[in-house]
Amino acid sequence: MTQPSNAPQPDSAALTDIFRRMLRIERNDDAILSTIRKGRLQMPYYSARGQEVIPATISHFLTDEDQICTIYRGIQDMVAKDMPLKPLWAEIAGRIDGTCKGKGGPMHLTHPPTGVMVTTGVVGSSMPIANGLAWAAKLDGSRRVVIAYFGDGASNIGAFHESLNLASLWKLPVIFVCPNNGFAEHTRFENGTSVDQISKRAIGYGMPGFTVDGNDPWEMYAQVSTAIARARDGEGPTLLECTTFRFLGHVLGDDNKYMAEGELAAAKEKDPLPLFRQRLLDEGHVDEATLAAMQAKIEAEVAEARDFGLASELPSVDEIRRDVFAQEMMA
Amino acid sequence: MSTTTTRAATNNTGTSKMNSLQAVNAALHQAMAADDKVLVLGEDIADPEGGGVTGATAGLSTKFGGERVRSTPISEQAIIGAAIGAALAGYKPVAEIMLMNFTTVAMDMIFNHAAKLRFMSGGQTSVPITIRTLTGAGWQTAGQHADHLEGWYAHAAGIKVVAPSNPVDYKGLLLSCIDDPDPCIFIESAGSLFVPAEVPDDQGPIPLGKARIVQEGSDLTIVTWSSQTVRAQMALPAMAEAGLSVELIDLRTISPWDRETVLASVRKTGRLLVAHEAVRDFGPGAEIAATVSEELFGVLKAPVRRLGAPKCPVPFAKVLEDAYIVQPDQMVAAAQTLMG
């Protein structure tokens, strides 16, 4: 489906806020990469460099009350949602000050105060749980919405189909957001998915589905605002497929051999971050000094968070017995 | 299978005679009335769809409304996922997965998510869901409708496994599961569903992790649960006739299991037989046998024995199904062997 003609347009403040969230994702990603490469952090890392527009635009519309369920390539989604970076860094470093006391790590981050409810390492598993959170939002009589992030490969998992069916049937305030970066791990999208657009699958579940240029903040803004309003007004779920590209492969260390010659370089030519920055300046939405100050502030925040995380203590070995159940394990 | 649950018969002694399905129904009514955070969901469970295939949820949607009591599509992952999400947001969902074999369809949700989210979040979130499910050989439903999979779930950290044998325990243990801050799988079993008992009208929660001593004895301890408790009780007269003083323990909760009660009993009797309907190899009986052997090696008067199903799918033909289930006479024979 194409976007509605009366789609809302972002003003300068909205665009600047979306850019701020993108920059926060990118600066944080850069710091994680350099810290890993210096040997100061050991973790499986699934960078989302190149995909920043998607969570940044969605999070612009969310409050702390709104919730997300995300996946192993999900740090971008948390950072976009303004999750504090200090406990994030402590968690990815496996330290006691981490959001999860070092027990979850980068693939299982949780931070309920900012609505980060579940991060799953299992492809496709964010969606059934997001439905339950959305069901609770409805039972509570609230206007909360829930975002279920998932990759394009996950649309081939049974849980995707069960979740869309149930969400539509129960008119749940959930938005299924797929940053489609063209690859399910190392398999090209067209070799693993029977339709050319994931959004077409929405038709089978009686819900609106849109394929959006996930690197275009204006297009994203229009579709996301419509989907959010629909969810908050009790009209039910939306499936948003947001096309994009991941610059660092599936997992850090990936040699990208499954990509076509020149494909990555061509994608990087269209890196949404510098392009958006330039357009913001060209169209006069923001000035260079404001952006420079924004960048300095974010870099200081990231550096402080990194130092905090790496300086945090390791968890005590006793922690292995805690949080298995509400009551500590006996043996 | 399709069975209609009728209202339990009430008398004037403060108890009501009911079977285990009626006890489940009574527990759900009680829990939903006491706490508006309790939700019920599953296939066919609301009244327009018949109140569940066994009738265990009959009356709930009429009484508590279609928002709190929801029939679902046949989508096990969606059912457990919805329960998990609602639980993360402060509700106490009771999800019915019609048969235990079908819980395998939702294994990712149960094992990777429900059971692990508290730990992986460092205690920030909890998943107080109850999964009610039915299983058990004896109804000729064959390979994909009757497996006892408590061993699978007992092996997983973070989920409690409950398998009652009689109406009082069905009610009391289900109330505890619903109130428990962690995920529980509540296993209803064919062989124990229709044995009626007097259940106190004010029957409250029965603590999880506590076994019930069905009968005290001094020669031999038999540990069992679920339908096999019913069959063990059938074996008791023959054992008494053979001069055996048997201490029969109904474990009630498989994980965490009541080590103290079992160890105290075997310390007294010196002999242990574990009998379960699940496949014997790698079954929960192996865990109990190993624990007793490690803790009480010097006390045991005979090697611990285990009885369980052969390592084959549940068969259809009645003669094979009967051979699959550990029968009372096998327990009698095993008990006599233990006495030497």
Side-chain angles (χ1 to χ4, degrees):
Chain A
M1 289 192 211
T2 53
Q3 70 184 69
S5 56
N6 60 345
Q9 290 297 312
D11 61 14
S12 296
L15 291 167
T16 307
D17 180 63
I18 292 167
F19 182 76
R20 176 187 69 78
R21 292 172 197 269
M22 287 172 65
L23 194 61
R24 197 164 177 256
I25 296 168
E26 190 272 337
R27 293 287 75 205
N28 193 63
D29 177 81
D30 189 65
I32 292 174
L33 288 168
S34 70
T35 311
I36 292 172
R37 284 171 176 149
K38 283 178 195 154
R40 298 185 67 201
L41 192 59
Q42 190 179 343
M43 61 185 253
Y45 187 49
Y46 303 88
S47 169
R49 188 65 263 286
Q51 304 184 177
E52 293 87 352
V53 172
I54 301 158
T57 311
I58 289 164
S59 300
H60 171 72
F61 291 94
L62 305 179
T63 70
D64 283 350
E65 300 291 302
D66 298 314
Q67 295 166 326
I68 66 170
C69 292
T70 187
I71 61 167
Y72 56 89
R73 199 184 310 284
I75 289 177
Q76 57 166 357
D77 305 323
M78 303 159 205
V79 174
K81 207 170 183 301
D82 279 335
M83 177 171 155
L85 297 185
K86 279 184 179 179
L88 186 152
W89 271 84
E91 188 59 32
I92 66 177
R95 308 301 167 99
I96 193 67
D97 295 310
T99 53
C100 312
K101 302 187 222 167
K103 297 178 186 181
M107 283 198 274
H108 309 296
L109 273 151
T110 303
H111 193 253
T114 48
V116 179
M117 297 308 290
V118 173
T119 303
T120 178
V122 184
V123 167
S125 294
S126 55
M127 292 173 272
I129 300 174
N131 272 349
L133 288 161
W135 181 29
K138 209 174 165 182
L139 287 163
D140 288 345
S142 81
R143 284 174 62 80
R144 294 200 301 274
V145 299
V146 183
I147 308 295
Y149 288 108
F150 62 100
D152 45 282
S155 79
N156 300 319
I157 289 265
F160 166 91
H161 298 276
E162 291 193 16
S163 299
L164 265 64
N165 183 57
L166 191 81
S168 182
L169 202 60
W170 290 10
K171 280 194 176 305
L172 296 176
V174 59
I175 303 171
F176 299 102
V177 177
C178 174
N180 184 349
N181 58 31
F183 294 92
E185 299 194 3
H186 297 191
T187 298
R188 298 193 77 88
F189 176 68
E190 58 269 30
N191 293 338
T193 305
S194 61
V195 283
D196 60 350
Q197 290 186 321
I198 289 169
S199 61
K200 287 182 180 171
R201 290 186 166 163
I203 299 164
Y205 300 104
M207 75 172 73
F210 300 99
T211 296
V212 195
D213 180 348
N215 287 357
D216 181 336
W218 283 266
E219 204 179 314
M220 279 294 298
Y221 186 95
Q223 292 297 10
V224 173
S225 62
T226 306
I228 297 254
R230 183 178 145 77
R232 290 206 200 282
D233 292 345
E235 291 166 33
T238 301
L239 172 63
L240 284 184
E241 176 189 26
C242 315
T243 55
T244 186
F245 203 92
R246 53 170 208 223
F247 291 171
L248 280 125
H250 173 56
V251 66
L252 188 60
D254 189 334
D255 60 10
N256 296 320
K257 274 191 177 150
Y258 47 84
M259 288 184 183
E261 181 83 30
E263 191 176 14
L264 179 60
K268 283 183 174 174
E269 285 290 306
K270 292 187 281 183
D271 186 341
L273 199 98
L275 290 178
F276 185 36
R277 188 181 197 281
Q278 196 55 50
R279 192 167 161 193
L280 285 178
L281 292 169
D282 291 349
E283 294 183 3
H285 296 292
V286 67
D287 59 33
E288 183 68 57
T290 304
L291 291 184
M294 179 193 285
Q295 180 160 337
K297 192 176 168 199
I298 289 171
E299 282 178 354
E301 183 196 11
V302 170
E304 194 186 351
R306 180 197 58 208
D307 293 347
F308 173 84
L310 296 178
S312 172
E313 297 290 326
L314 296 171
S316 141
V317 176
D318 299 346
E319 281 295 334
I320 214 162
R321 295 184 185 283
R322 291 186 198 125
D323 306 320
V324 176
F325 290 117
Q327 215 168 10
E328 192 171 334
M329 272 165 70
M330 298 300 287
Chain B
M1 85 201 58
S2 182
T3 316
T4 306
T5 298
T6 50
R7 190 166 288 280
T10 306
N11 60 28
N12 56 10
T13 59
T15 66
S16 302
K17 191 165 192 172
M18 63 179 78
N19 65 33
S20 293
L21 285 171
Q22 290 166 323
V24 166
N25 189 263
L28 291 170
H29 270 96
Q30 196 165 310
M32 292 201 80
D35 185 350
D36 60 16
K37 291 290 185 188
V38 177
L39 310 173
V40 175
L41 71 163
E43 294 156 20
D44 299 331
I45 58 106
D47 291 329
E49 289 76 41
V53 286
T54 61
T57 53
L60 292 171
S61 69
T62 301
K63 188 164 178 190
F64 300 105
E67 285 294 320
R68 288 179 67 199
V69 183
R70 302 209 71 149
S71 283
T72 65
I74 302 171
S75 305
E76 282 78 11
Q77 297 188 69
I79 294 167
I80 302 298
I84 293 170
L88 290 174
Y91 286 85
K92 296 177 180 175
V94 183
E96 177 175 310
I97 299 295
M98 194 179 287
L99 294 176
M100 192 162 205
N101 288 78
F102 310 158
T103 67
T104 63
V105 179
M107 206 58 166
D108 169 53
M109 282 293 124
I110 301 170
F111 179 73
N112 283 320
H113 295 89
K116 291 180 183 170
L117 289 180
R118 177 188 292 283
F119 186 83
M120 294 197 308
S121 72
Q124 292 180 96
T125 58
S126 64
V127 184
I129 66 170
T130 301
I131 301 168
R132 287 183 43 244
T133 193
L134 174 63
T135 196
W139 289 342
Q140 287 187 276
T141 50
Q144 294 171 351
H145 285 63
D147 277 311
H148 266 270
L149 302 178
E150 63 264 37
W152 292 27
Y153 293 99
H155 192 74
I159 184 163
K160 293 175 184 170
V161 185
V162 180
S165 70
N166 64 83
V168 172
D169 288 356
Y170 266 81
K171 185 173 180 195
L173 292 168
L174 181 55
L175 288 171
S176 287
C177 287
I178 294 168
D179 259 342
D180 197 87
D182 292 301
C184 296
I185 185 159
F186 184 85
I187 304 165
E188 298 163 18
S189 178
S192 64
L193 284 184
F194 300 110
V195 183
E198 292 291 338
V199 179
D201 296 334
D202 61 355
Q203 178 63 53
I206 291 170
L208 303 181
K210 296 283 178 218
R212 180 174 68 101
I213 298 175
V214 180
Q215 171 183 291
E216 292 194 19
S218 55
D219 290 337
L220 165 77
T221 301
I222 297 179
V223 172
T224 187
W225 54 87
S226 190
S227 298
Q228 220 51 264
T229 303
V230 177
R231 297 190 187 104
Q233 283 171 297
M234 293 176 188
L236 287 176
M239 291 181 189
E241 217 165 281
L244 299 176
S245 172
V246 171
E247 182 140 304
L248 178 62
I249 296 176
D250 176 1
L251 213 48
R252 303 200 286 197
T253 304
I254 313 307
S255 179
W257 63 283
D258 188 348
R259 292 161 54 106
E260 289 68 31
T261 296
V262 171
L263 290 172
S265 176
V266 179
R267 199 171 280 121
K268 180 174 74 176
T269 63
R271 297 180 183 89
L272 174 64
L273 169 66
V274 188
H276 54 61
E277 190 172 311
V279 168
R280 192 196 71 152
D281 295 12
F282 299 92
E287 174 65 25
I288 296 164
T291 302
V292 167
S293 300
E294 282 168 357
E295 300 286 328
L296 300 178
F297 184 70
V299 173
L300 287 171
K301 297 170 188 161
V304 177
R305 282 211 60 180
R306 285 175 295 149
L307 288 174
K311 200 169 184 178
C312 71
V314 181
F316 170 73
K318 192 65 191 158
V319 62
L320 298 179
E321 191 186 42
D322 288 345
Y324 179 89
I325 302 169
V326 173
Q327 300 293 344
D329 58 348
Q330 288 172 273
M331 292 190 222
V332 177
Q336 284 174 319
T337 309
L338 268 171
M339 295 307 294

